Amino acid sequence: MTLSRIIMRLARNPGTEFADGDDHRGYTLVAPLTDDGMLNLDAFQKAKADCTVRRFAPDEDATTGRLARRRDNWYFDYDEETDTDDEAVHKLGQHRFAVGEYVSVADEDGRLLAYKVTDVQPVA
């Protein structure tokens, strides 16, 4: 099984303070993908401990967590003890992780923001 490093950067989000996007704000995700770029659920079940997320922004320290799943819902978990810091990812299991594709992540206020996949590479 191969894990992939996926970089997603904040895309244009009209009607928000990020109307023009922000290449310095986003996520680095490590997860197993199928040949067509979808999350590989079977491989994820075997490699949960290696599936991580790192949130980065110029105005805050980077935050590291893990990719997690509850029933059919994927989310980013930054503190395993509580679920107050979880970030929901809209239909993550239905997204294709390929350069140029978009993923929606709920911010701390619950609003969905679009992120663009800018890089996908195998983890060495």
Side-chain angles (χ1 to χ4, degrees):
M1 173 200 50
T2 301
L3 294 172
S4 295
R5 179 172 291 109
I6 304 148
I7 299 175
M8 304 181 303
R9 298 183 187 279
L10 189 62
R12 294 184 65 225
N13 284 273
T16 72
E17 67 273 28
F18 305 112
D20 294 325
D22 185 347
D23 281 345
H24 303 289
R25 188 177 301 274
Y27 296 89
T28 301
L29 177 64
V30 174
L33 300 177
T34 61
D35 290 339
D36 60 350
M38 306 294 283
L39 284 176
N40 185 326
L41 181 56
D42 291 334
F44 169 76
Q45 296 294 347
K46 297 173 187 166
K48 285 181 187 179
D50 297 319
C51 296
T52 61
V53 62
R54 180 178 171 269
R55 181 178 62 210
F56 58 89
D59 53 348
E60 63 184 50
D61 291 334
T63 304
T64 303
R66 66 185 181 96
L67 177 63
R69 185 166 186 210
R70 190 177 300 124
R71 291 177 294 285
D72 291 334
N73 300 314
W74 294 89
Y75 60 98
F76 299 151
D77 181 18
Y78 299 102
D79 181 355
E80 293 182 40
E81 302 299 317
T82 70
D83 59 4
T84 58
D85 65 341
D86 294 348
E87 290 177 320
V89 187
H90 186 66
K91 298 183 180 181
L92 188 67
Q94 297 174 20
H95 285 285
R96 185 169 167 261
F97 290 94
V99 173
E101 297 287 332
Y102 290 86
V103 177
S104 296
V105 180
D107 71 2
E108 60 275 356
D109 296 323
R111 64 185 176 160
L112 287 177
L113 295 175
Y115 290 81
K116 186 175 184 179
V117 177
T118 60
D119 191 39
V120 179
Q121 299 291 325
V123 175

